[in-house]
Amino acid sequence: MSEQIQGNKMGTMPIGKLIATMSWPAILSMLIQALYNIVDSIFVSMISEQALSAVTYIFPVQMLLIAVGVGTGVGINSLISRRLGAKRFEEANMAASCGYRLSFFNWIGFALIGIIFSNIYMNFLSDTPYIVENGIDYMRIITIGSIFVLVQVTTEKILQATGNMLFPMLCSIVGAATNIVLDPILIFGIGPFPQMGVTGAAVATIIGQLFSMILGQILLFRKDHQVVVKVRGFKMEKNVIRDIYSVGLPAILMQAMLSILQFGLNAILAGLSETAVAVNGVYGRLQSFIFMPVFGLNQGALPVMGYNYGARDKERLTKAFKVAFLIAFVIMTVGLILFQLFPRQFLSLFNASEGMYQIGIPALRTISLCFIPASFGILASSFFQATGHGVMSLWASLIRQMIGILPLAWLLARLGGLGMVWYAFPIAEVMGIVFSIIAMRHIFKKDIARLDANESPASST
């Protein structure tokens, strides 16, 4: 696809059609990822409730890993799309090349974390030998093998910034499908393969990420795209790295809040009931089937908003946000209805004990009250990132999680016990909505209202 055709697509195609075209591959790939998360946990739960708890304890580490990969990718995506919108193509190439190289540096950090801190981490959270042993093995495999997912996430973000949403979808499908097929084979020892238990789930995850990365590199380097990625023969530019992380670092910190949130929640819940830890893990998997499509929608909407912000088209920018929010609102409303009506059926997928039903049914119904307000918070964060206001995304996340969920969960646990903890989720989302509305009004008055064909927005440079 030529630059002119691609530019016309991002700048002239009707917004509703454009977002649908850009988003459906990401939504499908995210749904497949969510399906993988659920299937993976179902297989682990077949081993034992303790096995599910062990994997749940490592979930914050995986979320931190994804936070760094996706956050860096968001910065790369935002910078590339703004440069393409402004017709600064060489700078877009440099952003893609520097961003690609950064994924390898990020991997080194996580490999060291897995080697050095796995034992300390698990012994801090649990004193159950089975959980500690399996958690250590799972964490080391996931972190040392993280090079595959970090490189692939960067590859997907580069492609998405140019408007190519199909290739990232194909990579996600291949990785998730490989993982789903390998899970029962390696966990239970089917055919010539040994029974590996929880370790088998980790190995299946890494192999799936490897296959996804291999396909991603083939599509990135053997196909023509609007940006050209160099691996060698260039020098990393400080200003490009700064521009990537001006949006990417707040995005990393914002998503890292989810890791801190899960770590803190697991610590709070472990003091009340290890079954509650398992319930929290089950909720994390189940809610991904609702949230992942919205995140996929985000992936399609962000480059559209970023491109039109760089092109100084205020009308298309604001319309893109409104259309994306309406779609997210519908998805989240459907999710809320499902969680209210079928919590027992959802829990039964994970070989739930009677104790898990007693804790989990009211938990799912209570937490899901956060879905509808979260639809606005997620799209508001995407709007902040697309327009170069990454710090606003960070503050929104801080209010919803560090200043919201965790302190509320700690306080409610002491005031009303386990049953009250889950109300921290919807209360925190309402707090986030208030901040996001105030922040968006400020950005519109100070920045978006000034967009025209003659004046460059300060944050797009």
Side-chain angles (χ1 to χ4, degrees):
M1 180 178 291
S2 71
E3 293 176 357
Q4 182 178 4
I5 294 174
Q6 182 64 49
N8 287 339
K9 170 185 173 180
M10 298 287 279
T12 62
M13 181 182 288
I15 289 295
K17 181 180 179 181
L18 177 60
I19 289 181
T21 301
M22 295 283 287
S23 297
W24 78 261
I27 290 174
L28 180 58
S29 65
M30 286 290 190
L31 281 171
I32 292 170
Q33 288 294 325
L35 178 62
Y36 146 68
N37 286 332
I38 291 175
V39 171
D40 184 69
S41 296
I42 289 173
F43 284 128
V44 171
S45 70
M46 291 179 182
I47 303 172
S48 69
E49 190 174 295
Q50 285 190 339
L52 183 59
S53 294
V55 173
T56 300
Y57 279 127
I58 304 303
F59 195 43
V61 178
Q62 292 178 279
M63 295 179 74
L64 180 60
L65 196 159
I66 295 300
V68 173
V70 172
T72 301
V74 165
I76 297 166
N77 184 308
S78 177
L79 183 58
I80 292 173
S81 61
R82 282 182 282 141
R83 293 298 181 256
L84 292 176
K87 311 300 182 185
R88 293 152 67 174
F89 300 113
E90 286 301 319
E91 294 179 25
N93 292 341
M94 181 56 68
S97 300
C98 286
Y100 185 83
R101 188 175 288 181
L102 286 172
S103 62
F104 292 89
F105 293 122
N106 291 334
W107 165 67
I108 293 172
F110 278 102
L112 292 174
I113 288 173
I115 293 170
I116 298 171
F117 296 108
S118 296
N119 195 301
I120 298 171
Y121 176 86
M122 280 306 305
N123 278 286
F124 173 78
L125 287 172
S126 177
D127 56 5
T128 303
Y130 178 89
I131 293 176
V132 171
E133 179 182 349
N134 282 275
I136 290 171
D137 291 342
Y138 194 92
M139 180 172 169
R140 283 180 176 162
I141 294 170
I142 291 297
T143 52
I144 294 172
S146 63
I147 185 171
F148 307 133
V149 67
L150 290 171
V151 171
Q152 181 53 27
V153 167
T154 298
T155 300
E156 291 181 1
K157 295 300 182 184
I158 291 171
L159 293 171
Q160 289 167 358
T162 68
N164 188 330
M165 307 301 289
L166 181 60
F167 286 174
M169 179 196 72
L170 293 175
C171 294
S172 294
I173 290 174
V174 167
T178 301
N179 201 332
I180 290 172
V181 170
L182 289 178
D183 257 339
I185 293 175
L186 298 181
I187 290 173
F188 303 113
I190 298 175
F193 297 92
Q195 182 177 347
M196 301 174 67
V198 173
T199 299
V203 173
T205 296
I206 293 302
I207 295 175
Q209 292 168 351
L210 170 62
F211 278 38
S212 179
M213 186 199 73
I214 291 173
L215 177 59
Q217 305 321 291
I218 293 172
L219 296 174
L220 179 64
F221 291 105
R222 295 194 177 183
K223 300 289 184 179
D224 291 331
H225 304 288
Q226 202 175 356
V227 294
V228 177
V229 179
K230 294 182 179 179
V231 179
R232 296 177 296 178
F234 76 97
K235 183 179 179 180
M236 298 281 281
E237 295 186 6
K238 292 182 179 179
N239 64 315
V240 174
I241 297 174
R242 181 200 64 211
D243 289 343
I244 287 173
Y245 281 112
S246 67
V247 172
L249 183 58
I252 289 172
L253 294 175
M254 181 179 66
Q255 295 202 46
M257 303 297 169
L258 297 175
S259 176
I260 298 171
L261 168 63
Q262 288 302 318
F263 177 83
L265 276 176
N266 285 339
I268 292 170
L269 295 172
L272 300 170
S273 164
E274 281 207 329
T275 298
V277 175
V279 168
N280 187 44
V282 168
Y283 166 73
R285 270 60 174 184
L286 289 172
Q287 63 86 22
S288 69
F289 213 74
I290 308 300
F291 278 75
M292 284 297 192
V294 178
F295 293 147
L297 173 68
N298 246 11
Q299 291 187 15
L302 193 151
V304 174
M305 290 188 288
Y307 182 96
N308 286 286
Y309 180 72
R312 306 166 199 149
D313 192 327
K314 178 174 62 177
E315 181 180 354
R316 287 178 63 82
L317 169 64
T318 55
K319 188 173 182 180
F321 172 80
K322 292 176 182 177
V323 170
F325 167 62
L326 178 61
I327 298 171
F329 182 86
V330 172
I331 293 172
M332 289 298 201
T333 300
V334 171
L336 172 62
I337 294 171
L338 292 175
F339 270 64
Q340 293 298 314
L341 295 179
F342 306 112
R344 174 173 285 273
Q345 289 81 354
F346 288 150
L347 289 167
S348 68
L349 296 172
F350 299 87
N351 197 29
S353 63
E354 187 57 37
M356 187 177 288
Y357 282 126
Q358 291 177 359
I359 295 173
I361 290 174
L364 295 187
R365 284 178 172 154
T366 301
I367 300 174
S368 62
L369 297 174
C370 79
F371 287 1
I372 291 179
S375 64
F376 183 84
I378 293 170
L379 265 296
S381 291
S382 181
F383 179 86
F384 297 148
Q385 292 164 355
T387 57
H389 296 86
V391 175
M392 292 294 188
S393 290
L394 174 60
W395 275 108
S397 185
L398 275 170
I399 290 171
R400 291 171 50 227
Q401 293 163 26
M402 300 304 292
I403 305 174
I405 293 179
L406 269 186
L408 284 170
W410 180 85
L411 179 62
L412 292 172
R414 277 146 185 79
L415 293 178
L418 179 59
M420 292 296 295
V421 170
W422 315 113
Y423 283 96
F425 288 82
I427 295 172
E429 287 294 349
V430 172
M431 293 168 59
I433 280 185
V434 173
F435 171 81
S436 294
I437 290 174
I438 294 172
M440 290 188 71
R441 290 187 64 181
H442 172 77
I443 291 173
F444 266 89
K445 288 181 179 179
K446 299 295 184 180
D447 190 357
I448 307 302
R450 299 165 51 199
L451 294 181
D452 57 46
N454 300 314
E455 186 175 5
S456 176
S459 298
S460 69
T461 58

